[in-house]
């Protein structure tokens, strides 16, 4: 397993945001993490990515207990993440933004820039490399956010609502992009509220509510789980 979370608990004062969460992701897989707003999804991401140290429990990445390690150290080990609210260097070019990510594994600017160009070609952003990031559409800013993370050469990529605010056709494009990234050898854990995307992409889905896991399984199994339907999905996901 490239990622193994055991009994993860995170408390903020008297509030328990994550409560004894356990899950595993095999290398090369895609796992979806879903749940209502405030369920604790982003807190779980932040614990895995090193933003928060767990209150209890253990997080293993490639067999190493990484709980409490810093995000920049985890990035160099191959764990990268995107952010729900994208904040590129708006006054800098697309190429500059992605080159910054490349410096996680490159020392020379020429090498970092060459890697950034490869990533932009891979994600079909190469034709916008000289645009200022602040002039991009929302869809392209989301694509840029993924490019910046991908430039760090991750083994595991955490995607936090990269399809939020996109039109249906743009969602379809991002779904294909994520599959392409997975096929290149990157394991993916994603938070997403667009259920048709989660169900199409994920090998397995974990559902949390009030910080606790209430269901886990293949997409069809989760969609038919009465607890999930009641807590989150709604009656339109009842299996016929």
């Amino acid at each position: 397993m490239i990622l193994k979370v055991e009994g993860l608990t995170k408390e903020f004062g008297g509030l328990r945001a994550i409560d004894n969460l356990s899950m595993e992701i095999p290398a090369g897989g895609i796992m979806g993490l879903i749940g209502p707003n405030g369920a604790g999804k982003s807190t779980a991401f932040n614990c895995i990515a090193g933003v928060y140290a767990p209150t209890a429990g253990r997080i293993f990445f490639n067999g190493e207990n990484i709980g409490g390690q810093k995000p920049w150290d985890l990035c160099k080990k191959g764990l990268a993440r995107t952010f729900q609210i994208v904040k590129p260097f708006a006054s800098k070019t697309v190429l500059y933004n992605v080159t910054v990510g490349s410096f996680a594994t490159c020392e020379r600017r020429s090498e970092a820039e060459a890697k950034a160009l490869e990533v932009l070609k891979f994600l079909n952003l190469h034709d916008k490399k000289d645009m200022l990031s602040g002039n991009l559409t929302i869809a392209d800013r989301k694509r840029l956010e993924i490019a910046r993370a991908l430039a760090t050469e991750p083994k595991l990529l955490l995607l936090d609502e990269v399809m939020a605010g996109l039109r249906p056709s743009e969602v379809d494009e991002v779904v294909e992009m994520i599959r392409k990234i997975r096929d290149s050898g990157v394991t993916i854990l994603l938070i997403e509220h667009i259920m048709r995307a989660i169900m199409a992409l994920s090998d397995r889905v974990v559902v949390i509510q009030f910080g606790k896991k209430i269901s886990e399984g293949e997409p069809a199994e989760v969609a038919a789980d009465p607890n999930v339907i009641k807590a989150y999905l709604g009656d339109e996901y009842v299996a016929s």
Side-chain angles (χ1 to χ4, degrees):
M1 295 293 170
I2 191 169
L3 180 70
K4 187 174 184 179
V5 177
E6 294 182 343
L8 176 63
T9 298
K10 180 60 183 176
E11 296 177 347
F12 298 98
L15 172 65
R16 180 165 291 187
I18 299 294
D19 190 355
N20 196 33
L21 175 65
S22 296
M23 59 184 183
E24 298 180 349
I25 308 177
I30 298 179
M31 175 172 279
L33 181 62
I34 67 173
N37 288 328
K41 303 182 296 297
S42 291
T43 300
F45 254 39
N46 283 329
C47 288
I48 294 168
V51 177
Y52 301 144
T55 303
R58 300 188 296 176
I59 303 168
F60 293 93
F61 175 57
N62 274 336
E64 178 187 358
N65 189 348
I66 61 168
Q69 293 191 25
K70 298 301 182 183
W72 46 88
D73 293 325
L74 295 178
C75 183
K76 290 181 178 179
K77 292 178 180 181
L79 194 161
R81 57 89 53 89
T82 65
F83 292 86
Q84 183 177 343
I85 300 174
V86 296
K87 293 182 178 179
F89 300 109
S91 63
K92 299 294 186 180
T93 66
V94 167
L95 178 59
Y96 178 98
N97 273 264
V98 182
T99 299
V100 170
S102 298
F103 277 111
T105 56
C106 297
E107 294 184 358
R108 297 191 305 274
R109 183 184 179 94
S110 59
E111 182 185 357
E113 203 165 90
K115 183 186 293 183
L117 286 169
E118 289 179 9
V119 172
L120 290 173
K121 289 177 182 176
F122 182 74
L123 297 182
N124 297 321
L125 262 178
H126 184 262
D127 61 334
K128 297 182 174 68
K129 66 183 177 65
D130 296 321
M131 284 184 63
L132 296 182
S133 299
N135 294 336
L136 294 175
T137 64
I138 292 176
D140 282 338
R141 287 190 191 190
K142 297 277 190 176
R143 196 182 295 260
L144 175 59
E145 180 77 358
I146 296 172
R148 292 200 299 180
L150 206 57
T152 67
E153 294 190 356
K155 300 179 180 70
L156 174 64
L157 180 59
L158 312 183
L159 300 176
D160 193 352
E161 294 197 39
V162 293
M163 291 173 255
L166 300 185
R167 298 191 298 266
S169 61
E170 294 168 339
V171 168
D172 293 339
E173 290 174 1
V174 175
V175 166
E176 290 307 312
M177 181 193 306
I178 292 172
R179 287 188 177 130
K180 186 178 179 182
I181 294 169
R182 187 271 313 276
D183 292 344
S184 73
V186 180
T187 306
I188 295 171
L189 172 63
L190 74 155
I191 296 173
E192 192 55 63
H193 282 293
I194 300 175
M195 284 301 100
R196 68 181 182 87
I198 278 281
M199 297 303 175
L201 281 169
S202 304
D203 302 310
R204 293 183 69 79
V205 177
V206 169
V207 189
I208 62 175
Q209 182 183 29
F210 303 123
K212 293 183 177 182
K213 181 167 69 173
I214 62 171
S215 185
E216 179 179 355
E218 295 180 359
E221 296 172 334
V222 168
D225 186 329
N227 290 327
V228 178
I229 294 167
K230 180 179 179 180
Y232 182 54
L233 293 179
D235 291 339
E236 66 268 25
Y237 275 91
V238 176
S240 57

